[in-house]
Amino acid sequence: MKPNAKHDDISLSALARCAREAGVTVPEAALPGLAEYLQLLCRWNKAMNLVGAHHWRDAMQRLVADSFHLATFLDDLPLPEDPLCWDLGSGAGLPAIPLRMAWQRGTCWLVEAREKRALFLSTVLARVPLPGTHVFRGRVEHFFPKQARKADCITSRAFMPWPQLLELVAPHLADDGIVVILAREEPPAAGDIDGWELVGSFAYTADNVHRWFWALRRRAEG
């Protein structure tokens, strides 16, 4: 599909321009799927209040752009070529669904306990198939025991306060596995998180709000 085509009422050229205004470049091949996702998000949002943004432009600039920044950030982290990734508390699919449009390494599980939101995620993936991307409907406490191996990368956006998140996921993280936290505060100073070390961070501004990604890894003993 060409960049000036339309996907429902979202012009792909307008979507590409909106992304550039948000400071990110969306791969041309990802534009139709991203338009489909935004269309579904706005449609379902009317009934479910998935996100605060009610127009696709607002959703793109305030929420979705984060995922494309995250794709660049993940490429700079020491992850295996074929990582196992978990996105906990996926909600409306942010950051994981747009992320997987640009960053498709390995396998990614979107974990969501709320039935209607999990149904939304499954609907999106049925309409916009993304390689190695799956939905688990249920609580993380039920998800963890079903996994054959530990995660190489765990992402979380407002799932729970980050200190509790680190405590929750530590037993389920592979050796040298990384937790990426999306935050609106600077990462703690080196040595301030007991048992963890900061291996990368990225700061940017979206919708006049300063945002950060932190990448944390368990500190080696001894």
Side-chain angles (χ1 to χ4, degrees), residues 31-83:
L31 286 170
L34 181 58
E36 181 79 49
Y37 169 66
L38 287 168
Q39 184 74 18
L40 287 168
L41 181 66
C42 292
R43 188 180 305 151
W44 283 58
N45 205 38
K46 294 177 182 178
M48 292 176 51
N49 194 29
L50 287 166
V51 294
H54 294 284
H55 189 278
W56 72 263
R57 290 180 184 273
D58 291 337
M60 179 68 221
Q61 295 186 336
R62 292 169 49 194
L63 301 169
V64 175
D66 291 0
S67 299
F68 293 95
H69 285 301
L70 181 57
T72 301
F73 181 62
L74 290 179
D75 271 336
D76 291 333
L77 295 179
L79 291 170
E81 285 299 313
D82 189 31

Side-chain angles (χ1 to χ4, degrees), residues 79-145:
L79 291 170
E81 285 299 313
D82 189 31
L84 174 60
C85 306
W86 301 342
D87 184 59
L88 304 184
S90 290
L94 296 162
I97 285 181
L99 170 66
R100 296 295 290 175
M101 295 178 184
W103 191 83
Q104 297 183 348
R105 287 167 52 187
T107 301
C108 182
W109 280 92
L110 285 64
V111 183
E112 175 54 51
R114 293 165 291 186
E115 184 172 359
K116 291 183 179 179
R117 283 165 171 76
L119 178 60
F120 170 74
L121 298 175
S122 297
T123 300
V124 171
L125 292 181
R127 297 279 292 272
V128 187
L130 296 171
T133 307
H134 313 279
V135 175
F136 178 87
R137 180 172 61 83
R139 297 175 60 85
V140 293
E141 293 86 349
H142 299 151
F143 171 75
F144 291 151

